[in-house]
Amino acid sequence: MKSNDIKLSVIFDNECSCESLTSLWGFSCLVETADNTILFDTGSNGRVLLKNMQRKKLDINRVDTIFISHAHWDHIGGLDSILELNSNINIFVTTHVSKNLVRDLNTLSNGVTVIGDEPTEILPYIHSTGAMGEASEQSFIIDTEDGLIIIAGCAHSGIEAIVTRAKRVFDKEILLLLGGFHLFREEEKNIRETVKSIKNMGTKFVCPSHCTGERAKKLFEESFKENYIDGGVGVDIDFDNGVVTPPSKQTLQ
Ligand SMILES: [Zn+2]
Ligand SMILES: [Zn+2]
């Protein structure tokens, strides 16, 4: 897949880069490719998720897949609202999701696939890292000709571990790493090591938000310079032959 065929829109985040969208704790990102429209996580509140999508003129009926990174409240809160409007959706979760919720989601959607511990291809060129760590969290990998695009929900198992696993499977550079890096409680020394290691693994662009924390964001910015993208709700990312087109500040009315 060419990266030029991919568009990412952060539609739910406690970090905010757009005044006309509502910002609450949680994360969700819409991934549009030539063949699929995938919702990565659903934030903590369905009403706000739908309102933000509406403001950005993103069509809920085009969503064909929902990918749930892990079962924490701030990532699954919008599931009901989405499925109420569009049930023609395949859902991917991990073993952390309760059996009762899997049963209910099976009733409300096209069907649920429970991903285990191993990296798994879920759609052409689109992979799950497989469930990692105590939260049994999966991260999302798009295998493009220009490198990997990795999206993490909360990165409870460590953002470094996620990138390491992706590299183990694909042995490719990382074009973009986006999402929650879960460094808000880390000591500065550890954050510096993480930033260095992420960069040394061949990561070109980073777009941290959600649970990354202010200090970690600053250190990523210092290290990645113009290849650092300030994350948050309202950020749209396009690609131009392996370069991320910098998201402009939204001017929605
Ligand atoms: Zn979490
Ligand atoms: Zn979270």
Side-chain angles (χ1 to χ4, degrees), residues 199-217:
K199 196 161 192 193
N200 287 345
M201 283 193 273
T203 307
K204 208 166 164 190
F205 291 87
V206 287
C207 180
S209 62
H210 182 37
C211 53
T212 303
E214 282 310 313
R215 187 164 42 181
K217 279 174 50 178

Side-chain angles (χ1 to χ4, degrees), residues 70 72 154 156:
H70 65 308
H72 288 165
C154 258
H156 288 291

Side-chain angles (χ1 to χ4, degrees), residues 44-216:
S44 58
N45 181 301
R47 217 159 20 87
V48 166
L49 182 74
L50 292 177
K51 204 174 86 184
N52 285 348
M53 284 185 79
Q54 213 173 38
R55 297 220 76 156
K56 289 175 69 65
K57 299 193 168 43
L58 296 167
D59 184 2
I60 185 79
N61 291 306
R62 291 193 52 205
V63 175
D64 52 64
T65 305
I66 294 178
F67 181 97
I68 296 293
S69 65
H70 65 308
H72 288 165
W73 64 279
D74 54 329
H75 297 259
I76 62 170
L79 265 172
D80 276 357
S81 306
I82 298 285
L83 294 172
E84 206 174 296
L85 297 175
N86 176 7
S87 58
N88 191 17
I89 288 179
N90 298 310
I91 304 177
F92 293 86
V93 300
T94 66
T95 39
H96 191 232
V97 172
S98 93
K99 288 198 170 51
N100 291 331
L101 180 55
V102 170
R103 192 197 56 203
D104 288 357
L105 291 175
N106 261 315
T107 308
L108 297 170
S109 72
N110 271 349
V112 178
T113 306
V114 180
I115 302 288
D117 295 342
E118 289 303 313
T120 309
E121 185 172 29
I122 61 167
L123 288 164
Y125 304 101
I126 295 178
H127 301 252
S128 161
T129 54
M132 296 172 69
E134 274 176 31
S136 187
E137 178 175 351
Q138 59 179 341
S139 301
F140 188 84
I141 305 168
I142 313 174
D143 179 17
T144 86
E145 289 171 13
D146 304 307
L148 306 177
I149 297 168
I150 303 176
I151 308 177
C154 258
H156 288 291
S157 62
I159 192 68
E160 235 180 303
I162 291 166
V163 175
T164 303
R165 181 176 284 202
K167 286 210 66 137
R168 198 188 74 203
V169 179
F170 295 98
D171 192 25
K172 271 188 172 183
E173 307 264 282
I174 317 299
L175 173 56
L176 169 70
L177 180 62
L178 174 142
F181 296 0
H182 217 267
L183 294 166
F184 67 106
R185 286 199 209 106
E186 277 304 327
E187 285 177 29
E188 180 159 336
K189 184 170 75 70
N190 297 342
I191 299 174
R192 283 188 188 277
E193 274 166 23
T194 301
V195 172
K196 204 167 142 195
S197 155
I198 298 276
K199 196 161 192 193
N200 287 345
M201 283 193 273
T203 307
K204 208 166 164 190
F205 291 87
V206 287
C207 180
S209 62
H210 182 37
C211 53
T212 303
E214 282 310 313
R215 187 164 42 181

